[in-house]
Amino acid sequence: MSELERAKPREIVAARGIEKRFGALEVLRGLDLSAHEHDVVTLIGASGSGKSTFLRCLNLLEVPDAGSIAIDGERIGLRKTRDGQTVPCSSKQVNRLRAGIGMVFQNFNLWTHMTVIENVIMPPMKVLGLTRREATERAQALLAKVGLHDRMHHYPAHISGGQQQRCAIARALAMEPKLLLFDEPTSALDPELVGEVLKVIRLLAEEGRTMVLVTHEMAFAREVSTDVLFLHKGRIEERGAPAKLFGSPETERCRKFIESVL
Ligand code: ADP
Ligand code: MG
C-alpha cells in the first residue's frame, strides 16, 4: 500500500442509486450516500420523505429494489428473484455486516423483560460469543459512559425515556460497531430529556465514530455533522456542509424546511 492510500480515510458506507418502492409507492428514487471513517452524515427532511427507509436500507432492514451498498469496502450481494423481488444473495453476509452496524431507533426497542445491563450484555454474548464475564465488564464500562451506572439493574419500564435511549445506545456500542445509525433518537422524548441523549451522541461524534443520523434537532445537526442531506420525496434535494446547508441553503424547499423546524 502506498503512503497516499494509507492516508485515505476508509469509506464505511457507500450507497449508490438506492431505490425502494412499497407497492405502487416510490419511496426512494435513487439516493447516494457516502460516509468515511469519522463522518457524521445527517439526513433531514419532512415526514414521509424517506429518511427512515433509506437508513433501514443501509443495514438491509429494507432491501433496496435497485442500487448498491458497500460497508467498509464490502459490497452487499443482492439478486432478483423470479418474481422480480430483490433479495440478499447471502443472509450470512447480511448478518455478519449487520453485526458491525449499530442501530438506535426512535422508540428505544429495548427488551422489556430484561434489566438495563442484561440488554447490553446479551448481543455481544449471543452474536460475538463473549463470555458473560467479558460482556458484563464491557457493559459496565459503557453504562458508566452513558451515565447509567446507577440504573444497571432496573427494568426499562422503571427508568425515563432518556435513560432508556441511553441504554439503547450502550447496547449498540457493546457490539463495537464500525457504523452507528440513529433514527430520530430524541423524537419520542419529553423535551427535558432530549439534552441528555444528545450529549451522549455528541460525545460519540467527538470520539470520531462514524454515524448516519436522522434528526429534527437542527442546531445539533449543524454542530455535529460533517455532511447534511436534505431529502424531499425520496430524492436528495440538497446536500452540503452544515454551515452551508443551514446558513445559506440553495433551494427554496430546503430553506423553508429548515425555517419550519427551527
Ligand atoms: P420518513 O422517515 O422521512 O418520515 P419513511 O421512510 O418512514 O419517511 O416513509 C417514506 C414513505 O414510505 C411514507 O409514505 C411511508 O408511509 C412509506 N412507507 C414506509 N415504510 C413502509 C412500509 N413498510 N410499507 C408501506 N409503506 C411504507
Ligand atoms: Mg422516519
Side-chain angles (χ1 to χ4, degrees), residues 21-23 25-28 44-56 62 183-184 214 216 231:
R21 54 167 66 232
F22 293 109
L25 186 66
E26 276 184 76
V27 174
L28 304 179
I44 62 170
S47 174
S49 57
K51 305 178 298 295
S52 295
T53 305
F54 189 34
L55 199 68
R56 291 164 63 82
E62 301 288 356
D183 193 357
E184 297 198 34
V214 177
H216 289 297
L231 271 65

Side-chain angles (χ1 to χ4, degrees), residues 104-110 164-165 168 171 183-185 187-189:
V104 175
F105 301 87
Q106 184 173 338
N107 291 311
F108 329 133
N109 288 13
L110 296 174
Q164 289 182 60
Q165 194 59 302
R171 180 177 63 176
D183 193 357
E184 297 198 34
S187 292
L189 298 175

